[in-house]
Amino acid sequence: MTIEVKSHAELLLMRRAGLVVADGLAEMCEAAAPGVTTAEIDAVGREVLARHDAASSFLGYGEVWGNPFPAVACISVNDELVHGIPGDRVLVDGDVVSIDFGAVVEGWHGDAARTVIVGTEDPADRALIDATMQAMWAGVRAVRAGGRVGDVSRAIEESVKAQPVRYGSLREYTGHGIGSEMHMEPDVPNWYRLRPTPKLGVGMAIAIEPMLTRGLNQTLELDDGWTVVSRDRSRGAHWENTVAVTDRGLWVLTEPDGGAGMLGDLFGPLAE
Ligand code: MG
């Protein structure tokens, strides 16, 4: 397995892509409200990409196997867990909405996801989202030069298991290396297996993305060839960031502050 190593200049381009992703997610989350369709939220993402002169990582993805993704964001509602296709679905009060968004700047990708509740919050949905976000940050904090992908997987799994509520954690879908393509080696599973995993080093970047449900972790793919739902119809949440390993520490490319607020001494951005 070869993991792409980025130069300083390439990581700066990935940071630009990451900031476009952060911008787009902020605006799309803001747009998610009762009465709004998921296609309208996707249109907000398209506007952000156009404003920054960035391309979409998602639009047309899958063309090689004959099912190109038709939108710039995956928008998944309630028991839809990931890869939901934006369309004429109208959001209603209390919906749990996961938005996954990617951008390309000069050939370099950023990828991140957020989950929001539209209108009135069910406290159990809020707890699910918080648990998913916490698991993602636990994974990010486990990244280090000389460490292994398995450290990240274990940190995510332990974070989920430490919750007072038992959640399903998806196994068929994983985080991934990212850079000159959106999905690259290595896979970054959200669960730990006692087996060798790739070593991480300076210049590498991975997308860390736990996907949790309020029920079990079994999934189904719908006939559209994209939308992944929970078999037990339980609601899900998805939180993702793109993280780079620099010679100074960690840089969360898809967070506006680069991760400064969450990483403490681990935070190590490159000079822009
Ligand atoms: Mg991803």
Side-chain angles (χ1 to χ4, degrees), residues 111-112 114 132-145 147-149 151-157 159 188-190 200 206-210 239-246 249-255 257-268:
D111 183 13
R114 305 285 180 260
T132 310
M133 185 182 66
Q134 286 165 24
M136 188 220 63
W137 281 110
V140 171
R141 285 191 207 93
V143 175
R144 63 185 164 80
R148 293 193 177 269
V149 169
D151 303 336
V152 178
S153 300
R154 179 157 46 193
I156 292 168
E157 180 173 331
S159 174
V188 183
N190 295 309
L200 298 171
I206 55 175
I208 296 178
E209 48 177 326
W239 210 276
E240 177 181 19
N241 272 323
T242 296
V243 185
V245 185
T246 76
L250 303 180
W251 197 13
V252 185
L253 303 176
T254 45
E255 285 283 353
D257 74 349
M262 295 296 286
L263 290 178
D265 290 347
L266 298 174
F267 180 56

Side-chain angles (χ1 to χ4, degrees), residues 67 69-70 74-77 79-86 89 173 219-230:
N67 189 19
F69 193 77
C74 297
I75 303 182
S76 311
V77 183
D79 62 312
E80 299 171 353
L81 306 176
V82 288
H83 304 166
I85 300 175
R89 180 173 184 154
Y173 303 91
T219 62
L220 281 175
E221 190 181 87
L222 299 188
D223 288 341
D224 62 24
W226 285 106
T227 313
V228 175
V229 301
S230 56

Side-chain angles (χ1 to χ4, degrees), residues 29 96-99 113-117 126 129 132 236-239:
C29 288
V96 173
V97 183
S98 294
I99 304 173
R114 305 285 180 260
T115 301
V116 293
I117 303 173
R126 172 52 54 194
I129 293 170
T132 310
H238 180 200
W239 210 276

